[in-house]
Amino acid sequence: MYEEEQRPDHGPLAGFTVGVTAARRADELGTLLQRRGAAVMHAPALRIVQLADDSELLGATKELIRQVPDIVVATTAIGFRGWVEAADGWGLGDDLLARLGGARILARGPKVKGAVRAAGLTEEWSPSSESMAEVLDRLLEEGVDGQRIAIQLHGEPLPGFVEALREGGAEVVGVPVYRWMPPEDIAPVDRLLDATVSRGVDALTFTSAPAAASLLSRAEERGMLPEVLEAMSHDVLPACVGPVTALPLQSRGIDTIQPERFRLGPLVQLLCKELPGRARALPIAGHRVEIRGHAVLVDGDLKPVPPAGMSLLRALSRRPGWVVARAELLRALPGSGRDEHAVETAMARLRTALGTPKLIQTVVKRGYRLALDPAADTKYADA
């Protein structure tokens, strides 16, 4: 985690806008991002059916009480705890724990181990990698022919996991601890998609594969999937909590970033590294100017800039030091018309926001240019 004294006052994510698609733990993720300076746009792409209301979970629980499993694979702490709590609510808690106590329990990671032990049970083994692939490898190496295996599902796809166990001769019972459903209010998702296409967000975070799949599905419904994929391929950074979460994006040819540890904290730390590293930094008029999503750092000072001003600044920075004509800058303005006076108005506001007017030079009858330092002219001549 970032220590307070190691961070700039404005935070490493200041000036960036991050989209959050999570339904569960969205507040926690949003708080972590905001503490590091990010503006957060929350659009839950899914909602979760409450455990106690889920008839599929009730049916799976009764089946496992009726016929004891040989092996239980616990995949998430919240899911395992929720399963036990739901069983208690149905009056089946003691029976379930008694059956699970007679099975070999494999826990995917340390948080799951804690949940298993809190229920009065003991896991036989847990992989240090927290990887379901390692769990699968261990089961297949030991042999699963004739084994009855209960797998706690958690809304994520488990590619090939169940199929591989069944091919090995196992009887597999899926335990759906919660189910994903479309959000009741789709408007926030639509706003996030619009912001993605317009580059109003700098990164999108995904903490579940169903959320990623749901966002892409909604984009397809609206006829904007190509534009969304284009944005995520170049300008909007997709950040996933782990490789399973990334699968729906990767199937569309989208590369993602993922932390080594599949947790929210490491995900935010990775964004703190990646987003500033992608920002354009230029030596202009004796100042270091770093262009971020909705703000600019001038010698380390954060300068919020209106959207129109950011559009002009990005257009100028694509060819730093070169004159950019007013007509070209007009095309860069969001919702621009034909009046080049709009460029002058937006430019005046941009200069005011930057607080250093000499950063941008007016070239009479031609346009505007960034006042790139002479020593940098050669470096950026072909930018």
Short mmCIF file of all heavy atoms in Angstrom, two decimals, residues 24 48-58 60-61 64 72-87 90 96 151-156 173-180:
data_model
loop_
_atom_site.label_atom_id
_atom_site.label_comp_id
_atom_site.label_asym_id
_atom_site.label_seq_id
_atom_site.Cartn_x
_atom_site.Cartn_y
_atom_site.Cartn_z
N ARG A 24 -20.39 -5.77 -6.15
CA ARG A 24 -19.94 -6.12 -4.81
C ARG A 24 -18.62 -5.43 -4.50
O ARG A 24 -17.73 -5.37 -5.34
CB ARG A 24 -19.78 -7.65 -4.72
CG ARG A 24 -19.41 -8.17 -3.35
CD ARG A 24 -19.50 -9.70 -3.32
NE ARG A 24 -18.53 -10.34 -4.18
CZ ARG A 24 -17.29 -10.65 -3.81
NH1 ARG A 24 -16.87 -10.35 -2.60
NH2 ARG A 24 -16.48 -11.26 -4.65
N ILE A 48 -26.51 -8.72 -7.71
CA ILE A 48 -26.36 -10.06 -7.15
C ILE A 48 -27.65 -10.49 -6.47
O ILE A 48 -28.21 -9.73 -5.67
CB ILE A 48 -25.20 -10.09 -6.13
CG1 ILE A 48 -23.89 -9.69 -6.83
CG2 ILE A 48 -25.07 -11.47 -5.49
CD1 ILE A 48 -22.74 -9.50 -5.88
N VAL A 49 -28.14 -11.67 -6.81
CA VAL A 49 -29.32 -12.23 -6.15
C VAL A 49 -28.93 -12.66 -4.74
O VAL A 49 -27.92 -13.34 -4.54
CB VAL A 49 -29.86 -13.43 -6.94
CG1 VAL A 49 -31.00 -14.09 -6.18
CG2 VAL A 49 -30.34 -12.99 -8.32
N GLN A 50 -29.71 -12.23 -3.76
CA GLN A 50 -29.42 -12.61 -2.38
C GLN A 50 -29.45 -14.12 -2.21
O GLN A 50 -30.31 -14.81 -2.75
CB GLN A 50 -30.43 -11.96 -1.44
CG GLN A 50 -30.33 -10.45 -1.39
CD GLN A 50 -28.99 -9.98 -0.88
OE1 GLN A 50 -28.49 -10.49 0.12
NE2 GLN A 50 -28.40 -9.00 -1.55
N LEU A 51 -28.52 -14.63 -1.42
CA LEU A 51 -28.37 -16.07 -1.23
C LEU A 51 -29.64 -16.74 -0.73
O LEU A 51 -30.07 -17.76 -1.25
CB LEU A 51 -27.23 -16.34 -0.25
CG LEU A 51 -25.83 -15.97 -0.73
CD1 LEU A 51 -24.89 -15.94 0.44
CD2 LEU A 51 -25.36 -16.97 -1.76
N ALA A 52 -30.24 -16.16 0.29
CA ALA A 52 -31.39 -16.81 0.92
C ALA A 52 -32.59 -16.89 -0.03
O ALA A 52 -33.51 -17.67 0.20
CB ALA A 52 -31.77 -16.07 2.19
N ASP A 53 -32.57 -16.09 -1.09
CA ASP A 53 -33.69 -16.10 -2.03
C ASP A 53 -33.43 -17.00 -3.23
O ASP A 53 -34.25 -17.07 -4.13
CB ASP A 53 -33.96 -14.67 -2.53
CG ASP A 53 -34.36 -13.75 -1.41
OD1 ASP A 53 -34.91 -14.26 -0.42
OD2 ASP A 53 -34.12 -12.54 -1.51
N ASP A 54 -32.29 -17.67 -3.24
CA ASP A 54 -31.89 -18.40 -4.44
C ASP A 54 -32.28 -19.88 -4.33
O ASP A 54 -31.69 -20.64 -3.56
CB ASP A 54 -30.38 -18.27 -4.64
CG ASP A 54 -29.96 -18.66 -6.05
OD1 ASP A 54 -30.68 -19.44 -6.70
OD2 ASP A 54 -28.93 -18.18 -6.50
N SER A 55 -33.27 -20.27 -5.11
CA SER A 55 -33.76 -21.65 -5.04
C SER A 55 -32.72 -22.65 -5.55
O SER A 55 -32.71 -23.81 -5.11
CB SER A 55 -35.05 -21.77 -5.86
OG SER A 55 -34.83 -21.40 -7.21
N GLU A 56 -31.84 -22.21 -6.47
CA GLU A 56 -30.80 -23.12 -6.96
C GLU A 56 -29.84 -23.52 -5.86
O GLU A 56 -29.43 -24.67 -5.75
CB GLU A 56 -30.03 -22.46 -8.11
CG GLU A 56 -30.86 -22.27 -9.37
CD GLU A 56 -30.05 -21.63 -10.48
OE1 GLU A 56 -28.86 -21.98 -10.62
OE2 GLU A 56 -30.59 -20.77 -11.19
N LEU A 57 -29.46 -22.56 -5.02
CA LEU A 57 -28.56 -22.86 -3.90
C LEU A 57 -29.25 -23.79 -2.90
O LEU A 57 -28.63 -24.74 -2.39
CB LEU A 57 -28.13 -21.57 -3.21
CG LEU A 57 -27.25 -21.75 -1.96
CD1 LEU A 57 -25.94 -22.45 -2.32
CD2 LEU A 57 -26.96 -20.41 -1.30
N LEU A 58 -30.53 -23.55 -2.64
CA LEU A 58 -31.28 -24.41 -1.72
C LEU A 58 -31.31 -25.84 -2.24
O LEU A 58 -31.07 -26.81 -1.50
CB LEU A 58 -32.70 -23.88 -1.54
CG LEU A 58 -33.65 -24.74 -0.69
CD1 LEU A 58 -33.09 -24.95 0.70
CD2 LEU A 58 -35.05 -24.11 -0.65
N ALA A 60 -29.16 -27.32 -4.33
CA ALA A 60 -27.83 -27.93 -4.25
C ALA A 60 -27.49 -28.30 -2.82
O ALA A 60 -26.87 -29.36 -2.56
CB ALA A 60 -26.79 -26.96 -4.81
N THR A 61 -27.88 -27.46 -1.87
CA THR A 61 -27.60 -27.75 -0.45
C THR A 61 -28.32 -29.02 0.00
O THR A 61 -27.73 -29.89 0.66
CB THR A 61 -28.03 -26.55 0.42
OG1 THR A 61 -27.33 -25.38 -0.01
CG2 THR A 61 -27.74 -26.81 1.89
N LEU A 64 -26.60 -32.15 -1.39
CA LEU A 64 -25.34 -32.51 -0.73
C LEU A 64 -25.59 -33.08 0.67
O LEU A 64 -24.82 -33.90 1.15
CB LEU A 64 -24.41 -31.29 -0.65
CG LEU A 64 -23.87 -30.83 -2.01
CD1 LEU A 64 -23.12 -29.52 -1.87
CD2 LEU A 64 -22.97 -31.89 -2.62
N VAL A 72 -14.89 -31.10 -1.33
CA VAL A 72 -15.54 -29.79 -1.47
C VAL A 72 -14.46 -28.77 -1.85
O VAL A 72 -13.43 -28.68 -1.20
CB VAL A 72 -16.22 -29.35 -0.16
CG1 VAL A 72 -16.79 -27.93 -0.30
CG2 VAL A 72 -17.32 -30.33 0.23
N VAL A 73 -14.71 -28.03 -2.93
CA VAL A 73 -13.79 -26.98 -3.35
C VAL A 73 -14.44 -25.64 -3.01
O VAL A 73 -15.46 -25.26 -3.58
CB VAL A 73 -13.49 -27.06 -4.86
CG1 VAL A 73 -12.54 -25.92 -5.27
CG2 VAL A 73 -12.90 -28.41 -5.21
N ALA A 74 -13.83 -24.91 -2.04
CA ALA A 74 -14.33 -23.60 -1.62
C ALA A 74 -13.53 -22.53 -2.35
O ALA A 74 -12.30 -22.52 -2.29
CB ALA A 74 -14.19 -23.45 -0.11
N THR A 75 -14.22 -21.63 -3.04
CA THR A 75 -13.52 -20.70 -3.93
C THR A 75 -13.45 -19.26 -3.43
O THR A 75 -12.51 -18.54 -3.74
CB THR A 75 -14.17 -20.70 -5.32
OG1 THR A 75 -15.55 -20.34 -5.18
CG2 THR A 75 -14.06 -22.07 -5.96
N THR A 76 -14.46 -18.79 -2.68
CA THR A 76 -14.42 -17.43 -2.15
C THR A 76 -14.90 -17.42 -0.71
O THR A 76 -15.79 -18.19 -0.33
CB THR A 76 -15.31 -16.45 -2.96
OG1 THR A 76 -16.68 -16.82 -2.81
CG2 THR A 76 -14.92 -16.44 -4.43
N ALA A 77 -14.33 -16.51 0.09
CA ALA A 77 -14.70 -16.42 1.50
C ALA A 77 -16.14 -15.94 1.65
O ALA A 77 -16.92 -16.51 2.41
CB ALA A 77 -13.74 -15.49 2.23
N ILE A 78 -16.49 -14.89 0.90
CA ILE A 78 -17.84 -14.34 1.04
C ILE A 78 -18.89 -15.36 0.58
O ILE A 78 -19.96 -15.49 1.17
CB ILE A 78 -17.99 -13.01 0.25
CG1 ILE A 78 -19.34 -12.39 0.54
CG2 ILE A 78 -17.79 -13.22 -1.24
CD1 ILE A 78 -19.52 -10.99 -0.05
N GLY A 79 -18.53 -16.13 -0.43
CA GLY A 79 -19.47 -17.14 -0.92
C GLY A 79 -19.65 -18.27 0.06
O GLY A 79 -20.77 -18.74 0.30
N PHE A 80 -18.54 -18.72 0.66
CA PHE A 80 -18.63 -19.84 1.61
C PHE A 80 -19.41 -19.41 2.85
O PHE A 80 -20.29 -20.13 3.33
CB PHE A 80 -17.23 -20.33 1.99
CG PHE A 80 -17.24 -21.64 2.73
CD1 PHE A 80 -17.30 -22.84 2.04
CD2 PHE A 80 -17.24 -21.68 4.12
CE1 PHE A 80 -17.34 -24.06 2.72
CE2 PHE A 80 -17.28 -22.89 4.80
CZ PHE A 80 -17.32 -24.09 4.09
N ARG A 81 -19.08 -18.21 3.36
CA ARG A 81 -19.82 -17.71 4.53
C ARG A 81 -21.30 -17.55 4.21
O ARG A 81 -22.18 -17.91 5.00
CB ARG A 81 -19.24 -16.37 5.00
CG ARG A 81 -17.90 -16.47 5.70
CD ARG A 81 -17.58 -15.18 6.43
NE ARG A 81 -17.53 -14.05 5.51
CZ ARG A 81 -16.43 -13.62 4.91
NH1 ARG A 81 -15.28 -14.23 5.14
NH2 ARG A 81 -16.46 -12.58 4.11
N GLY A 82 -21.59 -17.01 3.03
CA GLY A 82 -22.98 -16.81 2.64
C GLY A 82 -23.74 -18.11 2.51
O GLY A 82 -24.92 -18.19 2.85
N TRP A 83 -23.05 -19.14 2.02
CA TRP A 83 -23.68 -20.45 1.88
C TRP A 83 -24.09 -20.98 3.25
O TRP A 83 -25.23 -21.44 3.45
CB TRP A 83 -22.70 -21.39 1.19
CG TRP A 83 -23.23 -22.77 0.91
CD1 TRP A 83 -24.53 -23.15 0.88
CD2 TRP A 83 -22.46 -23.94 0.62
NE1 TRP A 83 -24.62 -24.50 0.58
CE2 TRP A 83 -23.36 -25.01 0.42
CE3 TRP A 83 -21.09 -24.18 0.50
CZ2 TRP A 83 -22.94 -26.29 0.12
CZ3 TRP A 83 -20.66 -25.46 0.19
CH2 TRP A 83 -21.58 -26.52 0.00
N VAL A 84 -23.17 -20.91 4.20
CA VAL A 84 -23.45 -21.42 5.55
C VAL A 84 -24.57 -20.61 6.20
O VAL A 84 -25.48 -21.15 6.84
CB VAL A 84 -22.17 -21.39 6.42
CG1 VAL A 84 -22.50 -21.75 7.86
CG2 VAL A 84 -21.11 -22.33 5.85
N GLU A 85 -24.53 -19.28 6.01
CA GLU A 85 -25.57 -18.43 6.60
C GLU A 85 -26.93 -18.71 5.98
O GLU A 85 -27.95 -18.72 6.67
CB GLU A 85 -25.18 -16.96 6.41
CG GLU A 85 -24.00 -16.52 7.26
CD GLU A 85 -23.48 -15.14 6.87
OE1 GLU A 85 -24.09 -14.52 5.98
OE2 GLU A 85 -22.46 -14.71 7.45
N ALA A 86 -26.94 -18.91 4.65
CA ALA A 86 -28.21 -19.22 3.99
C ALA A 86 -28.76 -20.56 4.48
O ALA A 86 -29.97 -20.69 4.73
CB ALA A 86 -28.00 -19.25 2.47
N ALA A 87 -27.87 -21.53 4.64
CA ALA A 87 -28.32 -22.84 5.14
C ALA A 87 -28.89 -22.71 6.54
O ALA A 87 -29.90 -23.35 6.88
CB ALA A 87 -27.15 -23.82 5.13
N TRP A 90 -32.37 -21.52 6.38
CA TRP A 90 -33.32 -22.54 5.94
C TRP A 90 -33.48 -23.66 6.98
O TRP A 90 -34.21 -24.63 6.75
CB TRP A 90 -32.86 -23.18 4.63
CG TRP A 90 -32.81 -22.22 3.48
CD1 TRP A 90 -33.70 -21.23 3.20
CD2 TRP A 90 -31.82 -22.17 2.45
NE1 TRP A 90 -33.33 -20.56 2.06
CE2 TRP A 90 -32.18 -21.12 1.57
CE3 TRP A 90 -30.66 -22.91 2.17
CZ2 TRP A 90 -31.41 -20.78 0.45
CZ3 TRP A 90 -29.91 -22.57 1.05
CH2 TRP A 90 -30.28 -21.51 0.21
N LEU A 96 -25.71 -29.34 7.07
CA LEU A 96 -24.71 -29.05 6.04
C LEU A 96 -23.30 -29.15 6.60
O LEU A 96 -22.43 -29.80 6.00
CB LEU A 96 -24.95 -27.65 5.46
CG LEU A 96 -23.90 -27.19 4.43
CD1 LEU A 96 -23.91 -28.08 3.20
CD2 LEU A 96 -24.15 -25.74 4.03
N ILE A 151 -18.43 -28.10 -5.92
CA ILE A 151 -17.65 -26.89 -6.22
C ILE A 151 -18.51 -25.67 -5.93
O ILE A 151 -19.59 -25.50 -6.52
CB ILE A 151 -17.18 -26.86 -7.68
CG1 ILE A 151 -16.31 -28.07 -7.98
CG2 ILE A 151 -16.41 -25.58 -7.97
CD1 ILE A 151 -15.85 -28.15 -9.42
N GLN A 152 -18.02 -24.85 -5.02
CA GLN A 152 -18.72 -23.60 -4.71
C GLN A 152 -18.48 -22.61 -5.84
O GLN A 152 -17.38 -22.12 -6.03
CB GLN A 152 -18.19 -23.04 -3.39
CG GLN A 152 -18.73 -21.67 -3.04
CD GLN A 152 -17.66 -20.78 -2.45
OE1 GLN A 152 -16.84 -21.22 -1.66
NE2 GLN A 152 -17.68 -19.51 -2.84
N LEU A 153 -19.52 -22.37 -6.63
CA LEU A 153 -19.42 -21.41 -7.73
C LEU A 153 -19.61 -20.00 -7.18
O LEU A 153 -20.22 -19.81 -6.14
CB LEU A 153 -20.50 -21.72 -8.77
CG LEU A 153 -20.51 -23.16 -9.31
CD1 LEU A 153 -21.69 -23.37 -10.24
CD2 LEU A 153 -19.21 -23.49 -10.03
N HIS A 154 -19.08 -19.02 -7.90
CA HIS A 154 -19.15 -17.66 -7.35
C HIS A 154 -19.35 -16.62 -8.44
O HIS A 154 -18.81 -15.52 -8.38
CB HIS A 154 -17.88 -17.34 -6.55
CG HIS A 154 -16.60 -17.56 -7.29
ND1 HIS A 154 -15.88 -16.54 -7.87
CD2 HIS A 154 -15.92 -18.70 -7.56
CE1 HIS A 154 -14.81 -17.04 -8.46
NE2 HIS A 154 -14.81 -18.34 -8.29
N GLY A 155 -20.13 -16.96 -9.44
CA GLY A 155 -20.44 -15.99 -10.47
C GLY A 155 -19.40 -15.89 -11.56
O GLY A 155 -19.64 -15.31 -12.60
N GLU A 156 -18.23 -16.45 -11.33
CA GLU A 156 -17.17 -16.42 -12.33
C GLU A 156 -17.22 -17.69 -13.17
O GLU A 156 -17.50 -18.76 -12.66
CB GLU A 156 -15.79 -16.37 -11.65
CG GLU A 156 -15.63 -15.24 -10.66
CD GLU A 156 -15.29 -13.94 -11.34
OE1 GLU A 156 -15.05 -13.96 -12.56
OE2 GLU A 156 -15.27 -12.91 -10.66
N VAL A 173 -21.00 -31.53 -8.51
CA VAL A 173 -22.19 -30.80 -8.08
C VAL A 173 -21.79 -29.33 -7.93
O VAL A 173 -20.95 -28.98 -7.10
CB VAL A 173 -22.73 -31.33 -6.74
CG1 VAL A 173 -23.96 -30.51 -6.31
CG2 VAL A 173 -23.07 -32.81 -6.85
N GLY A 174 -22.39 -28.46 -8.74
CA GLY A 174 -22.12 -27.04 -8.62
C GLY A 174 -22.98 -26.41 -7.54
O GLY A 174 -24.17 -26.71 -7.42
N VAL A 175 -22.36 -25.56 -6.72
CA VAL A 175 -23.07 -24.89 -5.64
C VAL A 175 -23.08 -23.39 -5.95
O VAL A 175 -22.11 -22.68 -5.70
CB VAL A 175 -22.39 -25.14 -4.27
CG1 VAL A 175 -23.18 -24.46 -3.16
CG2 VAL A 175 -22.25 -26.63 -4.01
N PRO A 176 -24.17 -22.88 -6.54
CA PRO A 176 -24.21 -21.47 -6.95
C PRO A 176 -24.54 -20.55 -5.77
O PRO A 176 -25.70 -20.32 -5.44
CB PRO A 176 -25.34 -21.45 -7.99
CG PRO A 176 -26.26 -22.55 -7.54
CD PRO A 176 -25.39 -23.60 -6.89
N VAL A 177 -23.48 -20.04 -5.12
CA VAL A 177 -23.71 -19.27 -3.89
C VAL A 177 -24.36 -17.93 -4.13
O VAL A 177 -25.00 -17.37 -3.25
CB VAL A 177 -22.39 -19.07 -3.12
CG1 VAL A 177 -21.90 -20.38 -2.56
CG2 VAL A 177 -21.32 -18.47 -4.02
N TYR A 178 -24.18 -17.35 -5.29
CA TYR A 178 -24.99 -16.21 -5.69
C TYR A 178 -25.04 -16.15 -7.20
O TYR A 178 -24.20 -16.73 -7.89
CB TYR A 178 -24.49 -14.88 -5.11
CG TYR A 178 -23.01 -14.63 -5.20
CD1 TYR A 178 -22.39 -14.27 -6.39
CD2 TYR A 178 -22.22 -14.74 -4.06
CE1 TYR A 178 -21.04 -14.02 -6.45
CE2 TYR A 178 -20.86 -14.49 -4.12
CZ TYR A 178 -20.28 -14.12 -5.31
OH TYR A 178 -18.93 -13.88 -5.35
N ARG A 179 -26.04 -15.48 -7.71
CA ARG A 179 -26.21 -15.40 -9.16
C ARG A 179 -26.16 -13.95 -9.60
O ARG A 179 -26.63 -13.06 -8.91
CB ARG A 179 -27.55 -16.03 -9.58
CG ARG A 179 -27.56 -17.54 -9.52
CD ARG A 179 -28.83 -18.09 -10.14
NE ARG A 179 -30.01 -17.68 -9.37
CZ ARG A 179 -31.12 -17.21 -9.91
NH1 ARG A 179 -31.21 -17.04 -11.21
NH2 ARG A 179 -32.16 -16.89 -9.16
N TRP A 180 -25.61 -13.75 -10.78
CA TRP A 180 -25.55 -12.41 -11.36
C TRP A 180 -26.81 -12.17 -12.20
O TRP A 180 -27.25 -13.02 -12.94
CB TRP A 180 -24.33 -12.29 -12.27
CG TRP A 180 -23.02 -12.50 -11.59
CD1 TRP A 180 -22.20 -13.60 -11.69
CD2 TRP A 180 -22.34 -11.60 -10.71
NE1 TRP A 180 -21.07 -13.43 -10.94
CE2 TRP A 180 -21.13 -12.22 -10.32
CE3 TRP A 180 -22.64 -10.33 -10.23
CZ2 TRP A 180 -20.22 -11.60 -9.47
CZ3 TRP A 180 -21.74 -9.72 -9.37
CH2 TRP A 180 -20.56 -10.35 -9.01
#
